[in-house]
Amino acid sequence: MTYFAGIDVGSLTTEVVILDKDDRMVSYAISATGANVTEAVEHTLGQALSRAGLARDRLNFIVATGYGRITIPFADKKITEISCHAMGAHHLFPDTETVIDIGGQDSKVIRIDGEGKVIDFAMNDKCAAGTGRFLEVMAGTFQVPIDDFGALSLKSKREIPISSICTVFAESEVISLIARNEPAEDIIRGLHRSVVSRVWGMVQTVGVPGPVTMSGGVAKNPGVVILLEEHLKKPIHIHTEPQIIGALGAALFAKKHFLRD
Amino acid sequence: MTRKEYLVKQKEMGRHLLGVFPAQYPKEILWAMNIVPAEIWDPPLEITLANAHLQPTICSVVKLGMELILQRKCDILDGFLFPHTCDSIQNLASVINDYMKTEKPCYFFYHPKAPYGAAGRDFYRNHLKELIGSLEKQFGPLDPDTLKQRIHQGQKISALLTELYDLRAQGELNITNEEFYSMIRHGEYLFPDDFIPELEAFLSQNKGQGIKGQARVVLSGVLPNPPEILTLLDDLGVRVAHDDFLIGSRRLLVPANDLDDPFENLTESYFAMPPCSTKGSSIGERAEYLFRLVDATGAKGVIFNVVKFCEPEWFDIPNLKEELKKKGISTLSLDTELNQGLSGQMVTRVEAFVEMIG
């Protein structure tokens, strides 16, 4: 049996997916990237191999992706996360025409063809606005666990708009609103709206989307998903583990390159 | 010899030095008055002092130009020339000349914006004469025969650059992207007596088969900065097949004309230049120009590599991208700072684009 691994090293989390020759997901693992990429990769790969009951030498081809892809010396090939998210989303939801990936460090909107190949994409600029990091910083300001942040936004009865798009200035604005005793859920709803507005701007630049799949950790945030679906006027495909879509795409590329080589 | 060493040497030889801000100006007139135009695009400085005078949303071309002056690195210059390229450069001219009261003489050059008509040609011709009149007060009279000779040299440079661009477009230039632009940009300060032989030598040394099978792209924008964009494309095996740079084809590839009257000649040259955002060219003209570059080179996509906050460029890009997409031409836009390298995210964007067109 041949096996293929995809490793996605993101700014917040590292994911590994192991596939067999029939594209079946044998195992996957997710862990925090932390300050040491090499350790994070070793740890996450080790977990995935352990869950699959495989030794590392059983992996026939490894593709690395994500911002830390350049730091994985044993990867057979490095491919950008844009191509990998496209391929992973297409594999899970074959009707996908647009992928919205909101990750920790950046967000991107990717248009894909019927084979999962990228035909256009847009990516946020250097600042953290419109990313998972923005929501994480704001959750910290409210001392709310990030996993509960989206659900809290859904309790809002009167959304408060946030005028600043810069994370640092938005945080100052939020602190002022807290000082005025504005309800937390209303401010949080406004924060979610600001993320979605940024992402929606990118959606517009790549054109009106058909079926949409969301990937990345923020896909688990119902506050963001609902606001995006409002814009799209249709439901979004979301996998139970949206964070692994990049690693899955990398593993699919690993198989493709192994067979081609 | 570095740019600075060259300019010092020119000064020692008795030539005058004029710091010229971007982008379009009649350099033949300056040459004919024994003036070396030292263009100011992207001096390698850290911006500290200029931030006190300019808001954060001003592009780094303007900020670096002001920084150069504020750091007193222009002492060798005899003055400045400010072409009316965009609002920011126009206002920079005001800040430098009217508010900061620099001790250096400042000259201004207003070129007509599209759509062009007969009045625009008259204006341009007259404005050339006005510029000469202003310069003569400081640098002495212009000899008409010398002007004709310098126009001839300008045409020679355009012909050599056109040959260089054509060879590159045909894949018959055995150099990297970085080497190409390094050569082209020598023209931003070399006197024609030196630039012409350098171009001729470069052409004869590098004519030859380029690497086959490389993905080809067209670059568009103001200038190919940060330089890391070129080395990244070199590393990825991507050939820049042509450009639509303000610093490049938009002002360098001027069709030759044989008009004897120097003012008619210079006027004809200006109006024959490729379309440009800073000249108010229409989206249709600009898109058509990009289509031609893509068709002629077999490029698979266009990368808009544009200085952050460059309003003339960024206003055009959404429409240009739309027009290119209609023809099935892939596009990528990058907003870059001149001298701050490429972030990991920028590298990812470029790599993903190369994967997309590969």
Side-chain angles (χ1 to χ4, degrees):
Chain A
M1 180 68 90
T2 47
Y3 295 97
F4 312 98
I7 305 175
D8 182 1
V9 185
S11 62
L12 290 181
T13 56
T14 294
E15 296 91 18
V16 173
V17 166
I18 296 175
L19 289 184
D20 68 14
K21 66 178 177 54
D22 299 316
D23 294 344
R24 280 191 297 257
M25 202 185 307
V26 180
S27 71
Y28 70 87
I30 304 171
S31 52
T33 300
N36 189 323
V37 171
T38 307
E39 275 181 18
V41 169
E42 289 295 337
H43 173 74
T44 319
L45 180 59
Q47 271 192 332
L49 285 166
S50 168
R51 287 171 190 168
L54 296 171
R56 188 187 289 197
D57 60 7
R58 296 292 308 281
L59 298 175
N60 294 80
F61 205 98
I62 299 172
V63 165
T65 188
Y67 94 99
R69 64 188 178 278
I70 52 170
T71 59
I72 306 176
F74 57 82
D76 298 294
K77 189 163 181 64
K78 288 150 192 171
I79 296 176
T80 66
E81 53 270 39
I82 292 170
S83 296
C84 290
H85 277 268
M87 187 55 73
H90 169 76
H91 180 76
L92 294 171
F93 304 102
D95 66 338
T96 301
E97 291 182 15
T98 301
V99 182
I100 298 176
D101 169 50
I102 309 180
Q105 184 176 249
D106 58 39
S107 48
K108 36 200 170 291
V109 178
I110 310 162
R111 290 299 296 273
I112 65 176
D113 66 12
E115 295 175 347
K117 191 171 183 312
V118 178
I119 51 176
D120 199 3
F121 65 91
M123 209 166 170
N124 71 314
D125 55 25
K126 287 179 226 168
C127 87
T131 70
R133 178 70 75 189
F134 176 84
L135 291 171
E136 197 177 70
V137 169
M138 296 305 156
T141 303
F142 282 94
Q143 297 179 316
V144 171
I146 185 67
D147 291 344
D148 301 337
F149 205 50
L152 200 52
S153 78
L154 301 180
K155 294 180 180 167
S156 168
K157 293 187 174 61
R158 184 181 62 88
E159 179 181 321
I160 297 176
I162 304 296
S163 58
S164 297
I165 55 168
C166 163
T167 304
V168 177
F169 292 146
E171 190 175 19
S172 302
E173 193 175 340
V174 165
I175 289 167
S176 301
L177 292 166
I178 292 170
R180 276 171 26 198
N181 278 329
E182 295 287 357
E185 58 271 22
D186 293 345
I187 305 170
I188 293 169
R189 176 84 166 185
L191 288 167
H192 282 72
R193 176 79 65 190
S194 78
V195 169
V196 169
S197 296
R198 298 277 287 192
V199 174
W200 187 246
M202 287 192 287
V203 172
Q204 304 285 20
T205 66
V206 299
V208 180
V212 176
T213 296
M214 215 175 147
S215 63
V218 178
K220 287 182 168 177
N221 179 318
V224 169
V225 173
I226 281 177
L227 291 176
L228 266 175
E229 287 178 337
E230 268 180 26
H231 277 290
L232 291 163
K233 298 182 176 61
K234 60 187 161 197
I236 297 172
H237 295 313
I238 298 178
H239 187 255
T240 48
E241 285 291 4
Q243 283 166 286
I244 65 167
I245 290 180
L248 172 63
L252 290 162
F253 275 119
K255 178 187 164 188
K256 188 175 163 189
H257 283 281
F258 176 75
L259 295 177
R260 195 179 69 186
D261 293 349
Chain B
M1 191 186 301
T2 66
R3 172 179 159 126
K4 187 175 179 184
E5 288 166 348
Y6 179 83
L7 293 176
V8 169
K9 191 177 164 208
Q10 294 297 304
K11 189 85 172 180
E12 288 167 357
M13 288 167 62
R15 289 198 172 120
H16 312 290
L17 303 180
L18 207 56
V20 182
F21 282 81
Q24 314 224 16
Y25 62 99
K27 55 174 66 173
E28 296 86 347
I29 287 175
L30 304 189
W31 295 337
M33 300 180 84
N34 209 27
I35 300 168
V36 180
E39 298 183 7
I40 301 170
W41 289 87
D42 55 342
L45 300 171
E46 186 183 344
I47 297 170
T48 52
L49 304 173
N51 285 333
H53 297 266
L54 302 169
Q55 64 266 39
T57 50
I58 293 293
C59 80
S60 45
V61 172
V62 171
K63 280 190 175 172
L64 284 166
M66 178 175 261
E67 190 70 30
L68 193 75
I69 296 171
L70 293 173
Q71 289 192 19
R72 302 201 64 80
K73 293 186 183 292
C74 297
D75 289 351
I76 194 175
L77 301 178
D78 297 300
F80 298 104
L81 174 64
F82 295 91
H84 186 189
T85 300
C86 61
D87 289 348
S88 295
I89 287 180
Q90 182 66 15
N91 289 323
L92 175 69
S94 297
V95 173
I96 299 291
N97 188 57
D98 302 336
Y99 301 120
M100 291 170 56
K101 305 283 184 194
T102 175
E103 67 273 22
K104 308 274 185 196
C106 293
Y107 301 94
F108 310 96
F109 187 67
Y110 302 91
H111 46 78
K113 310 289 181 183
Y116 302 130
R121 286 177 179 265
D122 290 344
F123 173 86
Y124 190 78
R125 217 168 16 245
N126 291 332
H127 198 54
L128 292 175
K129 291 174 184 171
E130 283 173 21
L131 178 67
I132 291 168
S134 309
L135 292 169
E136 280 180 328
K137 288 175 190 159
Q138 184 181 359
F139 300 106
L142 169 75
D143 172 37
D145 289 335
T146 309
L147 178 57
K148 283 188 180 180
Q149 183 203 335
R150 295 304 183 195
I151 288 173
H152 180 72
Q153 285 186 306
Q155 290 181 332
K156 175 77 177 168
I157 289 172
S158 288
L160 289 168
L161 289 170
T162 302
E163 187 181 353
L164 201 56
Y165 268 79
D166 287 348
L167 286 169
R168 180 176 70 160
Q170 292 152 16
E172 292 174 7
L173 208 50
N174 192 18
I175 53 170
T176 64
N177 298 316
E178 194 273 334
E179 287 166 336
F180 182 88
Y181 285 100
S182 177
M183 180 68 232
I184 293 290
R185 298 198 61 186
H186 284 180
E188 292 165 18
Y189 64 93
L190 289 185
F191 209 62
D193 303 10
D194 299 318
F195 192 38
I196 290 170
E198 191 171 307
L199 273 175
E200 287 172 333
F202 187 79
L203 266 165
S204 69
Q205 285 162 14
N206 295 299
K207 265 186 200 173
Q209 202 62 60
I211 301 164
K212 288 284 178 196
Q214 288 186 310
R216 296 158 77 78
V217 296
V218 169
L219 295 186
S220 177
V222 177
L223 69 169
N225 279 45
E228 288 82 356
I229 184 74
L230 297 175
T231 46
L232 174 62
L233 291 172
D234 282 326
D235 291 346
L236 294 171
V238 176
R239 165 67 59 192
V240 178
H242 214 301
D243 74 53
D244 167 46
F245 278 133
L246 177 54
I247 215 167
S249 81
R250 286 191 216 167
R251 64 176 197 150
L252 297 180
L253 305 186
V254 185
N257 73 73
D258 54 5
L259 294 167
D260 189 49
D261 179 276
F263 295 100
E264 292 295 334
N265 189 304
L266 290 173
T267 303
E268 184 60 31
S269 292
Y270 173 77
F271 287 95
M273 284 179 184
C276 178
S277 64
T278 68
K279 295 198 296 184
S281 304
S282 69
I283 294 293
E285 285 175 301
R286 292 202 60 203
E288 192 55 44
Y289 182 62
L290 286 168
F291 296 155
R292 283 210 307 274
L293 300 186
V294 169
D295 284 347
T297 58
K300 289 190 167 180
V302 175
I303 298 178
F304 293 96
N305 179 60
V306 180
V307 185
K308 200 164 194 164
F309 303 125
C310 176
E311 289 184 354
E313 288 293 297
W314 282 109
F315 283 151
D316 279 2
I317 285 174
N319 298 76
L320 288 174
K321 288 181 81 165
E322 198 176 317
E323 293 301 315
L324 289 162
K325 274 186 197 173
K326 282 182 199 165
K327 295 248 183 185
I329 301 165
S330 299
T331 64
L332 171 70
S333 47
L334 301 171
D335 49 345
T336 51
E337 299 285 0
L338 292 178
N339 296 329
Q340 289 186 9
L342 285 178
S343 66
Q345 199 217 51
M346 286 284 180
V347 172
T348 293
R349 285 197 219 182
V350 176
E351 288 183 358
F353 184 73
V354 173
E355 287 168 3
M356 188 172 92
I357 63 174

